[in-house]
């Protein structure tokens, strides 16, 4: 199986069919877990499956982005109260090694009833195109993260996006560059200024680029999982799932 096929098979076995035996055949015994609440190792994942089944939780996968040994799923979880809220937006990231799933990262965020832009957290474009532009698009997005979001050279923003064309799925931010900058200023005024924004890894497939970032916001550690869509050499659409990083975790692997 390809990495994508392997990850989707594991995800189906664990979260749709609730089959620990089938899931166990697809993961390494020393499966590395980065979800703060789930113990590391294959047993941690397999022990979660009965809880998922009992809770009645369901999952919808909206996008699958693959590069090399990394596979990103953009998901919605419903009936997920046992995991923090009735509806959760999520990015699940898996690393494949030697025909098994070896590592998992994720971010979960409650889905609000309304958003500033009027867009949902997971709707929008889904088609993967421009496969020959994967590397160029990754470099474009990482430049945007470095210069604009991390503040190295915000004056270069027009190199990365048309200020008027930026479809926003973050529930608290409006469309366009003006919406993004207004939100940054509002967060800072509320004591939530971002003082660190360091990408840890990125996954690009065609017109979609995912970046996982270690951040400090309001003096506290946060994880930002962002997905951008690129069209004709410019960033045009953005989704994210943002979550605080707890001090205590069920393992010693850290969030990243």
């Amino acid at each position: 199986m390809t990495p994508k096929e392997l990850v989707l098979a594991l995800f189906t076995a664990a979260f749709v069919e609730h089959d620990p035996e089938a899931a166990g055949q697809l993961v390494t015994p020393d499966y590395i877990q980065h979800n703060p609440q789930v113990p590391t190792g294959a047993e941690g994942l397999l022990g979660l499956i009965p809880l998922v089944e009992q809770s009645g939780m369901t999952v919808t996968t909206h996008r699958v982005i693959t590069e090399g040994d990394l596979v990103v799923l953009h998901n919605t979880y419903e009936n997920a109260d046992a995991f923090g809220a009735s509806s959760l937006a999520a990015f699940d990231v898996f690393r494949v090694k030697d025909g098994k799933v070896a590592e998992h990262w994720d971010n979960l965020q409650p889905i609000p009833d309304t958003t500033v832009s009027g867009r949902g957290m997971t709707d929008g474009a889904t088609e993967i195109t421009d496969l020959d532009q994967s590397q160029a698009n990754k470099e474009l997005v990482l430049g945007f993260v470095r210069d604009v979001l991390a503040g190295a050279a915000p004056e270069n923003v027009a190199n990365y996006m048309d200020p008027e064309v930026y479809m926003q799925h973050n529930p608290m931010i409006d469309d366009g560059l003006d919406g993004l900058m207004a939100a940054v200023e509002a967060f800072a005024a509320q004591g939530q200024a971002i003082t660190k924004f360091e990408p840890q890894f990125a996954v690009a497939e065609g017109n979609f680029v995912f970046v996982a970032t270690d951040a400090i916001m309001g003096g506290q550690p946060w994880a930002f999982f962002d997905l951008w869509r690129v069209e004709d050499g410019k960033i045009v659409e953005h989704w994210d799932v943002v979550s605080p990083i707890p001090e205590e975790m069920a393992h010693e692997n850290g969030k990243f």
Side-chain angles (χ1 to χ4, degrees):
M1 288 190 285
T2 66
K4 177 180 177 179
E5 291 169 341
L6 181 60
V7 164
L8 290 176
L10 172 63
F11 206 74
T12 298
F15 294 100
V16 178
E17 298 174 350
H18 310 119
D19 187 342
E21 183 176 353
Q25 299 298 313
L26 300 171
V27 298
T28 59
D30 58 350
Y31 178 81
I32 301 170
Q33 179 65 258
H34 295 276
N35 180 297
Q37 298 177 312
V38 181
T40 198
E43 291 304 316
L45 171 63
L46 302 184
L48 181 66
I49 294 173
L51 299 178
V52 170
E53 184 175 20
Q54 292 164 16
S55 73
M57 188 180 78
T58 60
V59 60
T60 301
T61 297
H62 305 278
R63 294 168 187 83
V64 183
I65 313 300
T66 305
E67 181 185 5
D69 61 356
L70 294 175
V71 180
V72 180
L73 305 185
H74 193 190
N75 294 318
T76 299
Y77 293 97
E78 300 288 353
N79 301 317
D81 298 270
F83 301 91
S86 59
S87 297
L88 293 167
F91 282 110
D92 288 275
V93 186
F94 298 88
R95 180 175 63 85
V96 172
K97 180 180 180 182
D98 299 330
K100 301 276 189 178
V101 181
E103 193 165 7
H104 170 253
W105 303 259
D106 66 356
N107 241 18
L108 305 168
Q109 183 178 338
I111 299 175
D113 293 331
T114 60
T115 67
V116 173
S117 70
R119 294 185 174 85
M121 291 187 70
T122 57
D123 59 354
T126 60
E127 182 183 3
I128 296 174
T129 62
D130 305 325
L131 291 175
D132 61 330
Q133 295 298 309
S134 297
Q135 189 59 37
N137 289 339
K138 179 191 277 190
E139 293 173 3
L140 177 81
V141 165
L142 288 175
F144 174 76
V145 170
R146 178 192 65 242
D147 285 356
V148 180
L149 300 184
E155 66 276 10
N156 292 338
V157 64
N159 294 340
Y160 306 108
M161 63 181 290
D162 179 338
E164 301 300 322
V165 183
Y166 191 63
M167 290 174 275
Q168 183 62 257
H169 294 270
N170 179 300
M172 297 183 291
I173 303 177
D174 208 348
D175 287 343
L177 179 61
D178 286 347
L180 177 61
M181 293 298 101
V184 169
E185 293 174 3
F187 296 156
Q190 298 165 10
Q192 295 295 307
I194 295 175
T195 55
K196 170 186 170 184
F197 206 77
E198 297 179 355
Q200 301 301 296
F201 57 88
V203 180
E205 185 176 12
N207 54 331
F208 285 95
V209 182
F210 169 86
V211 182
T213 301
D214 185 15
I216 299 292
M217 183 170 66
Q220 301 298 318
W222 286 72
F224 282 67
F225 283 21
D226 294 270
L227 180 67
W228 284 274
R229 183 171 66 87
V230 179
E231 188 174 279
D232 297 328
K234 297 287 186 180
I235 296 169
V236 296
E237 193 164 9
H238 170 253
W239 301 259
D240 64 0
V241 175
V242 181
S243 177
I245 301 175
E247 291 185 10
E248 297 185 6
M249 300 190 185
H251 47 71
E252 297 181 356
N253 300 327
K255 183 71 174 180
F256 297 100

